[in-house]
Amino acid sequence: MYGLYDKDGVLRFVNSDKEACLDYAKLFELNSAHFCIMNLIVSIDKDINNNFNLNQAENNN
C-alpha cells in the first residue's frame, strides 16, 4: 500500500498501486518537488517492530 504525501506532509492519496499515486499527482499537477510516495506497509511494519523492541526492553529492566 502506497501513500502520496504533499510537501506539507499531508496524506493526499492511498492506493495499492504506486502508479496510481503517480497518476494522482499528475492529475493535480503536482511535480516531484511537491510530493513524496511512501510504502505504508513497510513503514507500519518498522514502527511495530521498533515499538515491540522498545516495550520488550522496558519489561526486561
Side-chain angles (χ1 to χ4, degrees):
M1 187 65 67
Y2 295 92
L4 183 138
Y5 292 83
D6 67 15
K7 67 180 180 177
D8 296 320
V10 176
L11 180 61
R12 298 276 301 263
F13 184 76
V14 175
N15 197 290
S16 60
D17 183 15
K18 186 176 180 179
E19 291 300 317
C21 290
L22 293 172
D23 289 342
Y24 177 94
K26 184 177 179 181
L27 177 66
F28 289 97
E29 299 177 351
L30 300 172
N31 66 39
S32 61
H34 294 109
F35 73 87
C36 69
I37 296 175
M38 292 184 69
N39 185 334
L40 299 177
I41 302 300
V42 171
S43 298
I44 290 169
D45 286 346
K46 285 181 182 177
D47 287 343
I48 289 170
N49 287 336
N50 286 339
N51 288 337
F52 178 75
N53 289 336
L54 288 174
N55 290 336
Q56 191 175 32
E58 290 173 0
N59 290 336
N60 287 336
N61 289 332

